[in-house]
Amino acid sequence: MALSLCSAKSLLFFFVISAIPVAYIISQERANPATHVYHYHSSSFFRECAKWDDSGRRFIVSFLDGGIGQVAVPDDYPPGTVLEEVTLVKDLELTGNGSLGLVLDRPRNRLLVVAADVFGNKYSAVAAYDLSTWNRLFLTQLSGPNVVAGDGKSCADDVTVDAEGNAYVTDVTGSKIWKVGVKGEFLSIISSPLFTPKEWYKNLVGLNGIVYHPDGFLIVIHTFSGNLFKIDIVDGVGEGEEIKLIRVAGGPLSFGDGLELLSPTKLVVAGNPSARLVESSDGWETAAVVAKFSGPVHRLATAATVKDGRVYLNHMLGFGYPKKKHALVEAVFSNN
């Protein structure tokens, strides 16, 4: 089954996997982990994103082959126990699309999920689901035939939500951001020449991880260039929003993928290496890489989440048969 070219990211993934010796993978899987790990069994090798839902005491995970699941962590969880994934959503209307980035919108008790053309469905979209019933609240198509949300090659990748419930979805191929209203209505597109590096190869994988900062702006990363951007949305996006390149000492943040705010001044960047901790003391006008974490590189860290004050990294690859064992690895940062 051919991949669509949501595909530059997919090609990078298969290149990295093919470059890792099998003997190294086996040795890493047999080694005792250096930090705490939640292992869980699933039915598929690929899990793109995971976010901790504190009220439900569960990790919510997205399936690269489409769908949403949960990994419940009981209060009396015995360390070392392999947890079990339970499927929550398999949306037949989205068959062929992968489920990628997701974000919990706790004030509205819902989950927003990106759907992208990974295995042949010819559009990108964002969907919202009720966290209690898992009823779908809306599905907004963002690319494809007869869609006003934009043209050209597109691949939705990650999503965040602001204080009013508006969603912001990154386009990793077209390096733009779609804004979608609280009821699922398409509102506008954020684009800028800053999002397009001069070197053609740095545009193969563009805008990726995105977070909303409580002070009213977005932070978004461009994967291949490693650039980090601040987008002020207080005065209204799509109507002259201010976009700035954040100068990062110790950067660029090349191969950065998912983002997660650890605090208003600290940002976790999942990717290569497994994660970097970035800190800003001036409202994200500038920043610095202050620490790094190197975990199971062969599993490919793609997203970060915070549970009980600790950072956990989602890894795309699971191993094993017939059940696939995935790992949510605690990132303990070091400045060495």
Side-chain angles (χ1 to χ4, degrees):
M1 186 177 294
L3 290 174
S4 75
L5 168 87
C6 217
S7 248
K9 190 174 181 181
S10 303
L11 291 173
L12 172 65
F13 163 70
F14 286 116
F15 173 78
V16 171
I17 288 300
S18 65
I20 300 176
V22 173
Y24 173 79
I25 293 175
I26 293 172
S27 67
Q28 290 298 301
E29 287 298 298
R30 288 178 173 174
N32 291 324
T35 64
H36 181 253
V37 180
Y38 287 108
H39 283 113
Y40 68 93
H41 284 139
S42 80
S43 58
S44 174
F45 288 109
F46 305 113
R47 292 294 176 259
E48 171 70 12
C49 187
K51 295 295 179 182
W52 174 248
D53 175 21
D54 190 58
S55 62
R57 301 297 299 171
R58 60 189 175 178
F59 290 99
I60 298 179
V61 297
S62 61
F63 305 169
L64 194 62
D65 54 344
I68 300 297
Q70 71 173 19
V71 180
V73 181
D75 292 334
D76 58 351
Y77 163 75
T81 302
V82 179
L83 302 168
E84 296 293 329
E85 174 190 274
V86 175
T87 298
L88 299 171
V89 174
K90 269 289 189 181
D91 204 329
L92 293 178
E93 190 174 349
L94 291 170
T95 300
N97 270 10
S99 299
L100 302 182
L102 53 82
V103 64
L104 290 158
D105 183 10
R106 291 186 178 89
R108 282 156 282 273
N109 193 46
R110 61 182 188 164
L111 181 78
L112 290 103
V113 184
V114 169
D117 180 7
V118 177
F119 295 112
N121 206 347
K122 301 303 180 184
Y123 64 86
S124 293
V126 61
Y129 298 91
D130 185 281
L131 280 168
S132 301
T133 65
W134 294 102
N135 292 330
R136 195 176 75 195
L137 305 175
F138 66 75
L139 173 65
T140 302
Q141 188 173 333
L142 299 171
S143 68
N146 304 316
V147 174
V148 298
D151 52 16
K153 292 180 179 179
S154 297
C155 179
D157 190 274
D158 201 6
V159 60
T160 192
V161 62
D162 67 19
E164 286 71 44
N166 301 306
Y168 301 85
V169 182
T170 55
D171 176 1
V172 75
T173 301
S175 283
K176 61 181 179 288
I177 300 168
W178 293 282
K179 181 180 180 181
V180 175
V182 67
K183 296 181 180 180
E185 68 277 21
F186 167 72
L187 296 178
S188 62
I189 288 176
I190 305 172
S191 60
S192 169
L194 291 175
F195 296 156
T196 307
K198 293 180 181 179
E199 301 90 341
W200 65 268
Y201 55 90
K202 290 185 178 179
N203 292 298
L204 291 174
V205 183
L207 294 187
N208 198 332
I210 188 170
V211 292
Y212 172 74
H213 192 281
D215 289 342
F217 55 86
L218 305 172
I219 300 175
V220 62
I221 193 165
H222 188 287
T223 292
F224 265 22
S225 71
N227 289 333
L228 199 64
F229 298 98
K230 175 182 178 180
I231 304 171
D232 191 343
I233 60 172
V234 171
D235 296 325
V237 172
E239 299 176 0
E241 68 279 351
E242 187 176 16
I243 301 172
K244 296 180 180 179
L245 175 67
I246 301 171
R247 303 292 179 182
V248 181
L253 301 168
S254 301
F255 302 106
D257 196 339
L259 303 181
E260 183 79 359
L261 281 170
L262 185 56
S263 75
T265 61
K266 294 180 180 180
L267 178 74
V268 178
V269 181
N272 181 27
S274 297
R276 285 159 281 191
L277 183 63
V278 182
E279 190 167 2
S280 175
S281 59
D282 59 4
W284 295 96
E285 297 295 312
T286 62
V289 177
V290 296
K292 298 179 180 179
F293 170 73
S294 183
V297 185
H298 63 291
R299 283 184 175 265
L300 299 180
T302 55
T305 190
V306 177
K307 177 187 181 294
D308 302 329
R310 298 179 176 183
V311 176
Y312 284 86
L313 301 178
N314 175 81
H315 291 76
M316 180 180 286
L317 281 176
F319 292 95
Y321 186 83
K323 289 185 176 182
K324 290 73 178 175
K325 189 166 75 172
H326 287 264
L328 295 160
V329 180
E330 183 185 1
V332 177
F333 292 96
S334 169
N335 55 13
N336 293 334

